[in-house]
Amino acid sequence: MTPHPRLALALAAGPLLLLAACGGGADGAPADVAGGSGHVKITITDDGCSAEPATVPAGAATFDVVNEGATAVTEAELVNSGGRIVGERENLTPGLTGTFSLQLEAGDYTVQCPNAATESSAFTVSGAAPASTEDPLFAAATRGYQDYVKAQVADLVTATGAFAAAVEAGDVERAKALYGPARTPYERVEPVAESFGDLDPRIDARVADVADPATWTGFHRLEQALWVTGSTEGMAPVAQQLVADVAELNTLVQTTTYQPADLANGASALLDEVASSKVTGEEEAYSHVDLLDFGANVEGSREAFDLLTPALQVTDPDLVTTISARFDDVTTALAPFRQGEGYVLYTQLTQDQVRDLASAVDALAEPLSQVSGKVVGAANA
Amino acid sequence: MSAPRPSRRGVLTGAAVAGAAGVGAGVAALAARPGHAAAAPGTVPFHGARQAGITTAQQDSLVFAALDVTTSRAGELADVLQRWSADAATMAAGTPVGGSGGLGGAADEPPQDTGEAHELPAANLTVTLGYGPSLFDERFGLADRRPAALEELPPLPGEQLDPTKVGGDLCLQACADDPQVAFHAVRNLVRTGRGVVRVRWMQLGFGRTSTTSAAQSTPRNLMGFKDGTANLKAEDTTDLDRHVWVGGQGAPAVDQEWMRGGTYLVARRIRMLVEAWDRASLGEQERVIGRAKASGAPLSGRAEFDALDLAKTGADGTPAIDVAAHVRLAAPETNGGVKLLRRGYSYTDGLDVATGQLDAGLFFIVFGNDPHRQFVPLQRKLGAQDALTEYLKHTGSGVFACPPGIGTGGAWGEGLFT
């Protein structure tokens, strides 16, 4: 996840008001739009796709997308002059129809159907031009994420301070108890930390990740001392370094801003983390609190997704429905393993339970991987 | 093997083939299957009256996946089956998932197609779907749609089943002349189904061990013997109707109309104890199989396609084909006339880590219209009496109902969910 200096999003369309009864599935009836200016038909063919009528007045409109037999083309998108997809229907195999509905602002648009001989055709919305050039839904999402990251890192600073103090005091049992609570806020926003060069390795490297074990620092170095050696001897400098590194992260996130794609990619990256190291029990190899990280990764992923939901709801309500249901499935799958403030140890899971958790994560990660493309738009398609 | 098979040479020179589709030979005959349009070279039409991948001239590689349905929502399953049939048709035509743009698209999105079959030919890819008995429980309201023939297989002699290689709500059999093409097909369908289905077990097969067309030469299995000489072939339409297709002429009565034109697939992962087999003398190997190793001829005859003469005795009065020989016990003559369409593959999964022995053998796939009256009694007998059983161990198993083919615009699952 790469943070960006704040850039005005290059969006020409103003607010796209969320409409009730959006969508209608691939087989559903066209949705009704309250006070709409009516229906626009987009017919998909292998040669191209065009809207009928090609000009409509500003206001509510419902698009009926029909694939009458194109095999190479299965989707149609409405793209604004800023290159962002404002509405689309996908996976329309021959014979299927889908709809999407939205509030159209005046301006020049294109109807795009990837893979057709002619991929783009013009579509015009007449009326007064919008005043705003920033999509408030995305702006709210990125601001919300910035606040979330700051709050998590603030918690991280507090919890890491308490954990490090216990290590420096030589209180092994207390340090063990405080380890998990310090890990949680970090794991929720891990992709942000990863965007700052060597900060994440200093804080979160496992022994297998470092070129020279003598230079190994961070949480897992302390984890090994507490759970394997059972002693904090020689660990005070490592604890102090960890406190300093977390403080540095806190300074950095105060001024970091995010693009919508950062939220989407971060949400996906967190699930890849779960799939590659948490569900395998590799992350917390000594303490076995992997499910705590697992839960935190999923929480961070969901937060980013929830913030994007109002904007996504406009362009692809079906995707929102699918992803929300699968987030729920993951939460449900994890629930039986909750214990007190945390979770049972990874070593208490059976192979079947690990497999169930892994497949719930995979099931979620697949549709979530499509979000980034939805929020970036068609500019680089 | 009931009737003498014409020699391959005879077929290839255009000699008439009893029961052939009335076309010359081989590929042309297969393209003429009912309901199948002629396909481009190297492609097998996905749509048609029958599913492809059953009587299709057997390809060189297999990827077989048994899957479980993880959702409880029938609508999601129906949706995945519909998407699978669209994707399978696309890939069988040599096109990426998502059409010609499936490999590209926006830089910010994962490509729709995983890409490893890009620029490879379609390699005669077929994808064949089956429904396991467990699909017909209470989850999706399908209990009253289960055909009587689709029952879990009973315990059978000669098996030592690995619980991680048994059963499944669904199966996908992908066959192609290129293993990468077959794997690509299964991988992409598994990806499409993520969240609704998940792989329960999987088997890669290299090298066919059967012949399903008179135009094909007989391959050898990992025992080094020709396999599939007496197999049913695509050209044997009368026998296929009677023994393989549900509702065919002379077949058992149909109890579930949606299965008419379908068939049942039994899969058995048969590990060969190759170390012991390789130590057996040539005479012992030939006695156990009942054929000559080099030529494939039955021990009662001289050439591969000579009919078995089970009554023939040698000078010393002993049967030419041993009483416990595999070909005798598996022959239709000793099984009430039962004939099956075999479509197996050699497999290896490397090593049995417990013993250091090779884990290799035959992934046996067989099609028939009543597995419990065809495969089950046959395996009961073989498992108990077949001299070959000493060298085999059945380690994986599944039975699946393969629905009939679908027409253009149709979708898998339409007989079940509509």
Side-chain angles (χ1 to χ4, degrees), chain A residues 3 149 153 156-157 183 186 189-206 209-210 215-220 240-254 256:
Chain A
V149 172
V153 176
L156 175 68
V157 168
R183 298 283 301 150
Y186 186 81
V189 295
E190 191 170 15
V192 179
E194 284 173 350
S195 67
F196 300 117
D198 60 353
L199 201 51
D200 174 67
R202 293 208 306 264
I203 295 172
D204 196 33
R206 291 165 297 169
D209 301 330
V210 292
T215 64
W216 185 27
T217 61
F219 277 117
H220 297 300
Q240 287 154 10
Q241 179 66 49
L242 179 61
V243 169
D245 289 339
V246 165
E248 186 182 336
L249 177 64
N250 191 35
T251 305
L252 288 165
V253 299
Q254 298 309 313
T256 305

Side-chain angles (χ1 to χ4, degrees), chain A residues 71-72 74-75 85 90-91 93 96 115 325-326 329 352 355-356 359 362-363 366 369-370 372-374 376-377 380-381, chain B residues 70 73 76 82-83 86 90 98-102 105-110 112 191 193-196 198-201 409:
Chain A
T71 50
T74 54
E75 63 181 282
I85 298 172
E90 294 181 301
N91 301 320
T93 48
L96 291 183
N115 312 328
R326 292 190 182 175
D329 289 346
D352 279 351
R355 202 167 155 190
D356 285 346
S359 61
D362 277 340
E366 195 65 44
S369 71
Q370 296 169 23
S372 175
K374 308 281 176 196
V376 171
N380 43 11
Chain B
T70 53
R73 298 175 280 263
E76 288 185 351
Q82 185 258 318
R83 289 176 63 192
T90 302
S100 53
D108 303 286
E109 294 176 24
Q112 280 180 276
R191 181 185 177 198
R194 223 157 256 164
V196 179
R198 74 175 182 197
V199 178
R200 180 182 174 97
W201 56 285

Side-chain angles (χ1 to χ4, degrees), chain B residues 161-188:
Chain B
L161 297 179
D162 173 347
T164 67
K165 294 184 169 67
V166 172
D169 290 338
L170 300 165
C171 78
L172 289 168
Q173 173 200 266
C175 300
D177 290 325
D178 180 336
Q180 184 137 323
V181 170
F183 178 73
H184 168 263
V186 170
R187 176 184 177 185
N188 281 267

Side-chain angles (χ1 to χ4, degrees), chain B residues 129-154:
Chain B
L129 172 77
Y131 305 126
S134 51
L135 188 71
F136 296 83
D137 58 12
E138 70 295 339
R139 286 172 296 167
F140 311 106
L142 296 175
D144 60 356
R145 295 288 182 98
R146 186 179 65 83
L150 185 65
E151 258 191 85
E152 298 289 0
L153 298 176

